[in-house]
Amino acid sequence: MPSDRPSSSAPSMSAATKEMLARVQRMVPPMLEKFHKGQLGRVGVIGGSEDYTGAPYFSAMASARLGCDMSHVICTPTAATVIKTYSPNLMVHPLMRSTPSSSPLSAQTPGSAADSDPDQVASRIFPMLDRLHVLVIGPGLGRDPLMQDTCARVIKAARAKGLPMVLDADALLIVQKDPSLVKGYGQVVLTPNVVEFARLTKSLGVDDQVGAAAESAGETAKVEALARALGGVMILQKGAKDYLSDGKITLTVDLEGGKKRSGGQGDTLTGSIATFLGWRKAYLDGIWDPAGERLKDEELVGLAVFGGSAITRECSRLAFAKRGRSLQASDLTEEVHTAFMNLFGEVDGEAGAARL
């Protein structure tokens, strides 16, 4: 009986997507002996709490598997103990704190007064920002007030340093509460799912603004309006197709993905986008001589998000072809390198453009 699952052969794509991926490929650094550790990306993921340890791991591992040199996880001590057992390849820093629980079942022991002050907790994280090229905030973060308040302070500090950020999951509640933290900052990417997107559009008045004109304006009307409401922030609206927009330019990623919607797939997305943003810095720093016409600086964030989305969708397609309805987030992690090779091939010297 024939399977209705997608083939693991080369992905099919529209001409527009193929053209965009060719541009993304030009931002991918080749593997050269002259590079030293850290030049091809240093990514930090803030998240991970007593209840959620998988999400920051999946995000950081996707970043590492895609080709980021160094992947850090910044989380609570209880989460750090668990995450360290998942992989020795990640650097795990137990710098976050959550509100002490009165429950006798809580694994967190009471700390000092400084452990309950978001300013004090955030101040321990600030020195790490100088070691990073990109910051992901949200995977496994949860809604604990102390965690949320700490991250709000970290977002403000990261923006002051010009550090690119990817905000997902419960970090989007921070934006919903105080949009000014990211408004007008062109180096931040929001990756809401359907529910999170609806919350953001409602809280920022986008629903009323677009209103009944949404259908006639097209499928991208809301993501464009939300990006404009946030002053040019890059929004990736996840769905059957991924739409990304900064309010001026909108792109569509129409690569086929898998049909299973297991939790954690969005974490592969945040880690993948983060690595492309790290490569963006390498491209801007000119650490290698790219072939062809130079990409415009202002298009690089969009290309990074496009690349991260494409990798994630291809990971999902490949994993679903093997696992079907049993697919889990960890299956996507194992497909990251294959997805990269399917979409971009080798990018070293004359071997580049093997797939595109």
Side-chain angles (χ1 to χ4, degrees):
M1 183 175 180
S3 170
D4 62 354
R5 281 186 255 155
S7 167
S8 58
S9 59
S12 60
M13 64 186 77
S14 66
T17 293
K18 187 172 183 178
E19 180 181 348
M20 285 303 302
L21 288 176
R23 295 188 71 76
V24 174
Q25 186 189 54
R26 290 163 57 187
M27 192 172 68
V28 178
M31 302 300 294
L32 303 179
E33 289 190 8
K34 70 175 184 177
F35 293 157
H36 60 74
K37 181 175 68 176
Q39 283 188 296
L40 300 191
R42 301 195 295 267
V43 171
V45 178
I46 297 183
S49 53
E50 186 174 352
D51 293 332
Y52 306 109
T53 59
Y57 164 78
F58 292 132
S59 180
M61 279 303 295
S63 177
R65 292 286 191 187
L66 187 54
C68 168
D69 279 354
M70 304 173 76
S71 294
H72 300 261
V73 175
I74 303 169
C75 57
T76 63
T78 51
T81 301
V82 177
I83 295 170
K84 286 180 179 181
T85 69
Y86 293 158
S87 173
N89 297 309
L90 303 178
M91 289 162 281
V92 184
H93 312 272
L95 299 175
M96 289 289 287
R97 295 294 183 270
S98 58
T99 305
S101 173
S102 59
S103 170
L105 300 178
S106 174
Q108 178 167 312
T109 56
S112 65
D115 286 344
S116 300
D117 181 349
D119 289 315
Q120 292 290 325
V121 178
S123 69
R124 300 168 194 159
I125 299 171
F126 292 160
M128 279 208 66
L129 301 182
D130 293 325
R131 299 163 54 186
L132 303 175
H133 295 155
V134 186
L135 188 62
V136 177
I137 304 179
L141 181 67
R143 302 184 181 185
D144 177 83
L146 179 56
M147 301 269 282
Q148 291 267 315
D149 290 345
T150 299
C151 284
R153 287 155 174 77
V154 173
I155 291 170
K156 185 175 181 179
R159 177 175 182 171
K161 292 178 178 292
L163 190 66
M165 288 178 279
V166 183
L167 306 185
D168 186 46
D170 287 320
L172 297 173
L173 292 175
I174 302 171
V175 176
Q176 186 176 322
K177 181 180 178 181
D178 184 4
S180 69
L181 286 170
V182 301
K183 190 171 185 179
Y185 185 47
Q187 294 191 71
V188 68
V189 180
L190 309 186
T191 58
N193 61 23
V194 172
V195 174
E196 293 158 349
F197 185 82
R199 287 198 200 108
L200 284 169
T201 55
K202 182 178 180 180
S203 67
L204 289 165
V206 170
D207 289 346
D208 295 334
Q209 176 187 342
V210 176
E215 289 189 13
S216 61
E219 295 178 300
T220 63
K222 279 194 174 182
V223 69
E224 291 163 351
L226 180 58
R228 287 193 294 270
L230 288 170
V233 163
M234 181 66 70
I235 310 290
L236 174 62
Q237 181 185 8
K238 296 179 282 193
K241 298 177 182 178
D242 288 349
Y243 300 117
L244 54 127
S245 179
D246 61 0
K248 297 178 181 178
I249 297 175
T250 302
L251 302 172
T252 301
V253 186
D254 58 8
L255 281 163
E256 179 186 8
K259 296 179 181 178
K260 178 68 182 294
R261 300 292 180 262
S262 63
Q265 295 186 55
D267 302 313
T268 295
L269 174 66
T270 58
S272 298
I273 292 174
T275 290
F276 276 104
L277 287 171
W279 290 342
R280 165 184 174 267
K281 174 175 168 49
Y283 185 88
L284 289 171
D285 287 347
I287 67 171
W288 83 97
D289 295 321
E293 181 184 356
R294 181 172 177 81
L295 298 167
K296 298 177 181 177
D297 291 0
E298 58 268 24
E299 70 176 316
L300 295 180
V301 171
L303 291 177
V305 178
F306 195 99
S309 170
I311 287 287
T312 305
R313 295 178 74 90
E314 177 64 357
C315 285
S316 176
R317 185 187 75 89
L318 291 168
F320 184 71
K322 293 178 180 179
R323 304 290 185 182
R325 65 180 67 247
S326 73
L327 179 149
Q328 297 296 309
S330 56
D331 297 319
L332 270 69
T333 304
E334 298 304 314
E335 301 295 343
V336 171
H337 179 65
T338 302
F340 176 86
M341 295 302 294
N342 283 356
L343 296 178
F344 300 108
E346 295 290 354
V347 295
D348 304 327
E350 294 182 358
R355 295 291 180 185
L356 298 176

